[in-house]
């Protein structure tokens, strides 16, 4: 099969490492013809695209674009982009590399709060040998807001560690061993008494500012917040108040309203806010290419794509 | 059945919370008669004991002691204690609470090094938003030295997270998916190129000082050490040299030659040594009582006890 006959796919991403993707396609999907978007090249005739930070004018240069694979978690910038023609299907990334790295990050932060390892780091700075006790995992209430591909994987992992795990999402889901709540009418029941709250919600009009004083009030005294959704979901002033009053013990934040987080932002210096620079999860080029290859094979065979974003719903 | 007829078991532990153990026995093993050692009471006729830090003279006060259940990981103080009569079986603790808390601790530290979360904490102190990449877990070589109950559980967990996991122990073991080395003649092959080394060895004459320059030399440049065995296994000067030369990137230490770690010890202030105050793993009274209850039932039925320490071997 010549290069001309292979389905083409455009990589248009100002932050991507081209060599890594070349290698991944060569190794995993030699049946696909990877074309790098230079910002000038004619891309007509190519039906597939991959991007996280697209080059300007991408959609004009791809008049035949049918499916756009988003190389990260969260599609809010794409579903809201009026320059993406309505017939283009925006596909959310569901691949093991992204899922595993998010599971690693959230579990690490949950254990950080469950075992209060961050207190030990503070104690080390003062050369203090302290005593610590902690409950069994089944006596620790952990909740995951947002049950998409990542939220389900995270909730399942926390359950497998024995935590008393619950989840909440817009529509009802079933996850083995996890108590699932859904819809606005069940959010208070979900939140009541949670000791560790993980946010993995998509950013929509409904979730903007959702992590606020009303939510924090329902959590157990001393609860911890882990936000790996989007920065705009957090009411920053409400978080600082809840920490400073002692109602919340600590917060781990990977996402921020403004990124990079400005040097003067108070989050950097708060002793009980743990800032990580939006790196909780990242796609693995090899497993992402495998996922894209499978989707394209489905599409070329006339089957529907999976994980297509709903532009009206916003995710 | 009257209290007199129930098998008695003595709890002799200067650090134990008596109420917690009373509750655990009441809830889990009402068929056993828990007797608290006050240091004076006559304990003759009682065949079972539980301890971590025994009260002075315990073994003289228990002339009928047949099985001593050790309430923590590591029995080196007991197998070396000449006041424990030779007919007393010293039983190592194998119970899910201890195992789970060790798994939590080691996984947390492995992820700390795998994802270099500790670098992010350093960056936060300077309000620096940094870029970070990390390999897929299958491209990260992690090794566990010591494959007792805890070592096997830890190695299996790391494997389930996708790490390229190997193990080493005195005698050969089989662990699903884990490459296992054994004996002195295979230790170099085990160590070569490891990026994260976890020590869960028992303390014996052979393992005293085993974590030294000879071992560190085999590890990959930039490797990290996690010691949850015993402090005496580590050559402290060799560790500092390996860190300061840059050959090792960091070390997480939970155990020390002297505990509590003296306030003036350089480990407290080393920027790439993470000190935790010997709390990696702790028994859970409820699940420990269940384990002890099962062992006593076996013993009373004339079957052998499990997890009995070998005094000659030293663990």
């Amino acid at each position: 099969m010549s290069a001309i006959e292979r389905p083409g796919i455009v990589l248009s991403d100002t932050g991507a490492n081209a060599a890594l993707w070349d290698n991944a396609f060569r190794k995993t999907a030699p049946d696909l013809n990877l074309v790098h978007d230079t910002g000038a090249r004619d891309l007509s005739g190519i039906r597939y695209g991959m991007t996280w930070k697209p080059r300007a004018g991408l959609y004009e240069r791809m008049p035949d674009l049918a499916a756009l694979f988003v190389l990260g978690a969260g599609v809010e910038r794409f579903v809201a982009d009026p320059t993406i023609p309505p017939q283009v299907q925006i596909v959310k990334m569901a691949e093991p590399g992204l899922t595993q790295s998010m599971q690693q990050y959230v579990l690490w932060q949950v254990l950080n709060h469950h075992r209060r390892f961050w207190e030990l780091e503070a104690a080390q700075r003062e050369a203090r040998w302290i005593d610590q006790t902690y409950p069994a995992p089944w006596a620790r209430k952990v909740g995951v807001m947002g049950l998409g591909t990542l939220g389900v994987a995270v909730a399942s992992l926390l359950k497998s560690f024995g935590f008393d795990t619950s989840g909440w999402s817009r529509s009802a889901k079933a996850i083995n061993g996890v108590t699932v709540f859904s819809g606005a009418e069940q959010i208070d029941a979900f939140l009541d008494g949670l000791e560790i709250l993980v946010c993995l919600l998509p950013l929509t009009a409904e979730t903007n500012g959702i992590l606020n004083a009303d939510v924090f009030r329902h959590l157990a005294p001393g609860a911890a917040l882990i936000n790996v959704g989007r920065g705009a979901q957090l009411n920053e002033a409400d978080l600082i108040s809840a920490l400073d009053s002692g109602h919340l013990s600590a917060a781990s934040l990977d996402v921020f309203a403004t990124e990079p987080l400005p040097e003067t932002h108070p989050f950097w210096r708060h002793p009980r806010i743990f800032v990580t620079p939006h790196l909780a999860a990242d796609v693995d080029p090899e497993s992402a290419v495998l996922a894209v290859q499978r989707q394209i094979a489905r599409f070329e065979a006339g089957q529907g794509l999976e994980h297509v974003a709903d532009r009206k719903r916003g995710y």
Side-chain angles (χ1 to χ4, degrees), chain A:
Chain A
M1 182 156 68
S2 79
I4 299 299
E5 289 165 331
R6 292 181 293 164
I9 179 165
V10 169
L11 174 65
S12 180
D13 193 323
T14 57
N17 178 328
L20 269 184
W21 288 96
D22 280 332
N23 283 338
F25 271 89
R26 197 158 33 230
K27 180 170 169 187
T28 305
D31 57 319
L32 294 174
N33 180 25
L34 177 63
V35 176
H36 292 281
D37 177 25
T38 60
R41 193 182 292 186
D42 175 23
L43 302 169
S44 61
I46 304 183
R47 299 204 293 163
Y48 308 109
M50 291 171 32
T51 187
W52 182 243
K53 294 175 181 165
R55 287 190 191 277
L58 173 66
Y59 312 113
E60 288 162 33
R61 289 195 304 286
M62 292 195 73
D64 301 304
L65 181 63
L68 181 67
F69 298 97
V70 176
L71 293 177
V75 293
E76 73 278 5
R77 285 184 288 118
F78 299 93
V79 295
D81 184 343
T83 72
I84 304 180
Q87 75 278 8
V88 174
Q89 299 194 66
I90 296 166
V91 185
K92 298 184 273 189
M93 188 49 63
E95 63 90 8
L98 188 70
T99 302
Q100 283 174 13
S101 54
M102 183 60 86
Q103 287 178 311
Q104 289 175 359
Y105 181 94
V106 174
L107 181 69
W108 192 83
Q109 293 289 7
V110 166
L111 291 173
N112 200 15
H113 296 292
H114 175 59
R115 298 284 296 258
R116 290 188 168 257
F117 288 126
W118 59 268
E119 273 188 356
L120 303 181
E121 290 159 12
Q124 179 170 357
R125 275 174 240 136
E126 301 165 11
R128 280 192 298 122
W129 182 273
I130 61 176
D131 226 5
Q132 230 192 15
T133 58
Y134 43 89
W138 48 261
R140 180 71 82 191
K141 289 188 73 169
V142 183
V144 179
M145 292 180 96
L147 298 173
T149 303
L150 297 177
V152 168
V154 162
S156 301
L157 178 66
L158 294 172
K159 179 65 197 175
S160 79
F161 269 73
F163 290 106
D164 179 359
T165 309
S166 56
W168 178 81
S169 64
R170 192 168 115 136
S171 53
K173 299 266 163 80
I175 310 172
N176 207 4
V178 175
T179 311
V180 176
F181 300 86
S182 63
E185 65 285 4
Q186 294 189 345
I187 192 165
D188 290 356
F190 162 72
L191 294 167
D192 278 333
L194 282 183
E195 297 173 273
I196 300 175
L197 174 63
V198 179
C199 176
L200 265 165
L201 287 165
L203 182 60
T204 65
E206 286 77 38
T207 69
N208 202 301
I210 195 171
L211 300 172
N212 58 35
D214 289 337
V215 160
F216 301 152
R217 193 173 299 131
H218 285 277
L219 306 181
L225 171 69
I226 299 169
N227 191 16
V228 276
R230 282 291 183 258
Q233 290 161 343
L234 176 66
N235 183 313
E236 299 189 349
D238 285 3
L239 174 65
I240 301 261
S241 296
L243 288 168
D244 291 350
S245 76
H247 179 58
L248 295 189
S249 60
S252 300
L253 308 176
D254 188 54
V255 288
F256 304 91
T258 305
E259 294 180 4
L261 187 65
E263 219 184 299
T264 55
H265 198 287
F267 282 177
W268 284 118
R269 270 163 294 276
H270 198 289
R272 288 178 296 120
I273 293 179
F274 310 116
V275 170
T276 58
H278 202 153
L279 46 61
D282 206 357
V283 294
D284 176 88
E286 284 190 29
S287 51
V289 166
L290 189 64
V292 165
Q293 181 191 42
R294 286 182 179 154
Q295 289 260 43
I296 289 177
R298 285 178 63 95
F299 190 79
E300 298 264 323
Q303 294 162 359
L305 292 164
E306 295 178 312
H307 309 294
V308 176
D310 179 332
R311 296 207 203 184
K312 270 228 191 71
R313 211 174 49 174
Y315 64 95

